[in-house]
Amino acid sequence: MDTNTVNYQEEKKVYYKVLVGLLLLTAVTFIQPHMFMTESTFLAQMLIAVVKAYLIVMYYMHLKGEKLITAMVWFSLALVTVFFVIVIGIDVVNFQFGAESHITAAAEHSAGAVHATPAAH
């Protein structure tokens, strides 16, 4: 008896479910900025993107059963996150151009101030 038989009809059902999930998440991506979590759109969009990427990698790239690859992906993600936090932490502490920044200078100006056109560099 062959134990390596694959039921392609069952697999096809799983792929269709993943496809429907991806389509629904894509619809949510477009609807989200107008309907919910309007104050944290970036966070919501990134969470949706991570879920979609996970579904694609696990099902369509057939990495669902791979233990070593999954461990390496998590390790790489943790490593990149640590370096990202370190670099951003150093950059924020040593930020020199607060007066010239469009982000930090807005808080210093009054609400009714008219901004002049910046000079050519």
Side-chain angles (χ1 to χ4, degrees):
M1 183 171 169
D2 187 17
T3 59
N4 292 330
T5 59
V6 177
N7 187 350
Y8 290 109
Q9 296 303 322
E10 291 297 319
E11 279 195 23
K12 192 183 339 180
K13 288 179 185 178
V14 171
Y15 286 122
Y16 282 131
K17 288 178 184 177
V18 172
L19 176 64
V20 168
L22 289 170
L23 291 173
L24 287 173
L25 286 171
T26 301
V28 170
T29 301
F30 285 104
I31 295 170
Q32 178 272 321
H34 306 290
M35 299 296 284
F36 59 93
M37 289 183 70
T38 57
E39 301 299 322
S40 59
T41 299
F42 179 75
L43 176 66
Q45 295 287 317
M46 291 308 291
L47 288 174
I48 293 168
V50 166
V51 171
K52 286 170 62 175
Y54 176 80
L55 287 173
I56 290 168
V57 166
M58 289 299 141
Y59 289 97
Y60 292 130
M61 295 179 73
H62 308 286
L63 298 179
K64 186 177 177 191
E66 299 290 332
K67 302 293 184 215
L68 180 62
I69 291 175
T70 305
M72 291 306 293
V73 165
W74 282 109
F75 174 73
S76 301
L77 179 64
L79 191 65
V80 168
T81 303
V82 166
F83 283 124
F84 179 76
V85 167
I86 290 170
V87 168
I88 294 299
I90 291 170
D91 189 42
V92 167
V93 170
N94 297 322
F95 188 63
Q96 305 173 34
F97 304 105
E100 292 86 9
S101 172
H102 296 290
I103 298 170
T104 58
E108 297 171 5
H109 295 326
S110 64
V114 177
H115 298 288
T117 328
H121 295 279

